[in-house]
Amino acid sequence: MKFGVVIFPSKKLQDLANSYRKRYDSHYALITPHLTLKNAFEATEEDVKEFADNLRKIAGNTQPFTLKTTKVSSFHPVNNVIYFKVEPTEELTSLHAEVNKEFSEQNPEYAFVPHITIGQNLSNDEHSDVYGSLRMKRIDHEETIDRFHLLYQLDNGSWTVSETFRFGKE
C-alpha cells in the first residue's frame, strides 16, 4: 500500500490554492492542498502501525508553529511545478527531518523545499504562461499548524487520512 505524511493548511489557504489547482493541477481531484512531509512510500499495514506509533511520539514532542506563505514560485527547469512557497522555519525543517528519519532506507528524491503545489504536469508553454502571470503575486498568509496526517492511497488514486497527529502532549 502507498502512504504519505502531510500537513493540511487552513480552509482559507486551501480555497486559495484550489482556485489555481482546479485549472493547473492534474492531481486536483486526488488530494486536497497540502504540504508534503514524507513523499509517497510503499509499506505493509504492519510496518505502518509501527510508523504511526513513531509519528505519534514525534507529534507529542512538537509544538505548534507558524506556517507562512509569501509568494508563488516554481521548480522549473527541474520540473514544471508551480507552488506557494512556504517559509522554511526551524520547526518545520526539524519536523520534516524527524518524520523522514523513521523511514531512512527511503532516500528523498529532492531536497526539502516546503511548498503547496498549485500547478503540475504543465507543458513548457503552459508553465511559462501561468508562472509568468502568477510569479509577481504576493501570497501573504500566516497560520498556526498544530497537527499532521498519515495518508494512504485508495485504488482510484485518491488519498485519504489514515490518522491525524496533534502536536504537544495529549
Side-chain angles (χ1 to χ4, degrees):
M1 249 177 117
K2 264 196 177 162
F3 295 88
V5 181
V6 304
I7 291 172
F8 289 123
S10 65
K11 179 170 177 5
K12 180 180 176 188
L13 190 56
Q14 285 189 31
D15 288 349
L16 180 61
N18 276 333
S19 70
Y20 299 107
R21 290 181 72 230
K22 62 181 148 212
R23 286 178 294 196
Y24 308 124
D25 186 352
S26 59
H27 294 170
Y28 171 73
L30 302 177
I31 189 167
T32 52
H34 62 281
L35 187 157
T36 302
L37 289 174
K38 172 86 185 116
N39 285 329
F41 62 95
E42 291 284 341
T44 64
E45 299 262 348
E46 294 73 39
D47 288 340
V48 163
K49 280 186 179 64
E50 185 181 328
F51 186 51
D53 288 341
N54 291 332
L55 291 177
R56 210 168 287 107
K57 288 177 197 146
I58 290 168
N61 294 324
T62 303
Q63 292 307 307
F65 60 86
T66 300
L67 178 132
K68 183 177 170 143
T69 58
T70 54
K71 66 179 188 174
V72 174
S73 196
S74 170
F75 289 128
H76 188 77
V78 176
N79 57 39
N80 288 349
V81 170
I82 299 171
Y83 59 88
F84 290 160
K85 180 177 180 6
V86 173
E87 294 302 314
T89 62
E90 191 176 315
E91 298 91 345
L92 180 56
T93 305
S94 165
L95 178 60
H96 173 265
E98 283 293 309
V99 167
N100 280 276
K101 191 167 71 179
E102 294 304 321
F103 268 78
S104 55
E105 72 276 6
Q106 298 182 351
N107 294 326
E109 197 176 344
Y110 302 109
F112 181 53
V113 176
H115 68 281
I116 297 168
T117 300
I118 59 169
Q120 61 186 321
N121 299 329
L122 302 169
S123 71
N124 287 338
D125 287 345
E126 280 177 312
H127 173 272
S128 183
D129 286 352
V130 173
Y131 184 54
S133 69
L134 295 179
R135 71 175 186 209
M136 300 313 278
K137 271 197 186 310
R138 296 281 311 152
I139 309 292
D140 284 321
H141 178 85
E142 206 169 290
E143 65 184 71
T144 300
I145 298 298
D146 65 355
R147 69 193 70 180
F148 62 89
H149 311 272
L150 175 64
L151 307 182
Y152 64 94
Q153 193 171 35
L154 301 172
D155 291 340
N156 68 1
S158 68
W159 291 84
T160 193
V161 174
S162 169
E163 198 167 338
T164 296
F165 306 92
R166 289 181 180 272
F167 298 157
K169 304 288 181 225
E170 291 208 13

